[in-house]
Amino acid sequence: MIIACLGDSLTEGDYGVYGKRCIANVQKENYPYFLSKIFNAEVRNFGKCGFTATHYLNYYKEGNVNLENADVIIIMLGTNGGHDDVNETQANIDYKELINLCQKDAPHAKLILCTPPHATSNPEYSNCGYADQVEKATLFVRKLAKENNIPMIDVALCEQFNAENEHIMQPNDGLHFGEIGYKTLAEFIAVGVRNILNI
């Protein structure tokens, strides 16, 4: 099985830097890494720190994402904002176009959408301030998946990701995971993938 993971820093594997913002600290122990261990499969990580759906669409169109022979495509975007479940936005439009391109370029692959995970509301964390846009993105992805009958893994409902566990799962800045968090994310997504594929 070949799995392609598209997304932002939470896919690329940014661990964040304690007390800092906008400084990438990418480690190899990201959720695609752990997913490859769980499935004993090839997992391609196409995550890009800081990307919105609009950034990602441009990145995709430039030929940076290899979906050749992919069996599963997982898209987890929205943490960096731009989405709205009520009003159409450019990010919404670009997210939909990205989906269409993936389906066109890899018609035999199973496309799976993920809602973005929990983001802190605690002002003591350096990356406090993402929670509202994450909530909007979550509502948008849920609605999009339902309206288009696209399989979805609702990462926002992962019980381990919450305010009480931020010091364990998202210890550096309340947004990016640490190793325990990325492993937990991979395990949660793996359960969803198995349910969707019936494996």
Side-chain angles (χ1 to χ4, degrees):
M1 181 162 65
I2 298 175
I3 303 173
C5 299
L6 287 57
D8 49 37
S9 58
L10 298 174
T11 297
E12 188 171 7
D14 189 356
Y15 277 46
V17 177
Y18 184 78
K20 304 288 185 182
R21 293 183 58 131
C22 302
I23 299 175
N25 178 22
V26 176
Q27 305 293 325
K28 73 178 180 68
E29 292 83 5
N30 44 53
Y31 102 73
Y33 167 85
F34 288 113
L35 204 61
S36 72
K37 303 295 183 188
I38 293 168
F39 284 116
N40 190 27
E42 178 185 340
V43 180
R44 301 171 184 164
N45 187 344
F46 298 108
K48 293 299 291 181
C49 291
F51 272 27
T52 62
T54 300
H55 292 128
Y56 208 92
L57 177 62
N58 293 331
Y59 181 73
Y60 185 96
K61 286 180 173 179
E62 290 167 357
N64 295 300
V65 179
N66 175 18
L67 300 181
E68 185 177 1
N69 299 320
D71 299 294
V72 178
I73 301 167
I74 300 173
I75 300 177
M76 187 171 72
L77 287 163
T79 295
N80 292 305
H83 297 291
D84 194 304
D85 67 307
V86 178
N87 302 303
E88 191 69 299
T89 67
Q90 190 61 50
N92 289 5
I93 294 166
D94 292 339
Y95 193 109
K96 294 172 191 174
E97 185 176 350
L98 176 64
I99 289 171
N100 291 336
L101 287 173
C102 288
Q103 291 173 326
K104 172 177 164 287
D105 293 340
H108 302 296
K110 176 66 75 172
L111 180 76
I112 301 172
L113 305 182
C114 290
T115 57
H118 168 84
T120 189
S121 296
N122 183 347
E124 293 181 9
Y125 281 106
S126 58
N127 263 329
C128 180
Y130 283 80
D132 287 346
Q133 61 198 39
V134 164
E135 175 65 19
K136 287 184 178 180
T138 296
L139 295 173
F140 162 73
V141 172
R142 286 173 180 163
K143 183 177 179 182
L144 178 66
K146 184 177 181 181
E147 289 178 349
N148 294 275
N149 197 30
I150 300 172
M152 183 195 72
I153 299 170
D154 206 337
V155 177
L157 296 181
C158 180
E159 292 181 354
Q160 290 97 321
F161 301 151
N162 57 51
E164 289 72 29
N165 284 350
E166 286 167 357
H167 68 289
I168 299 169
M169 299 293 177
Q170 298 158 298
N172 283 336
D173 59 18
L175 179 71
H176 299 102
F177 295 106
E179 184 172 343
I180 295 171
Y182 280 117
K183 187 172 186 289
T184 303
L185 176 60
E187 290 167 349
F188 187 85
I189 289 176
V191 170
V193 169
R194 287 194 176 105
N195 289 337
I196 290 165
L197 299 182
N198 293 312
I199 58 174

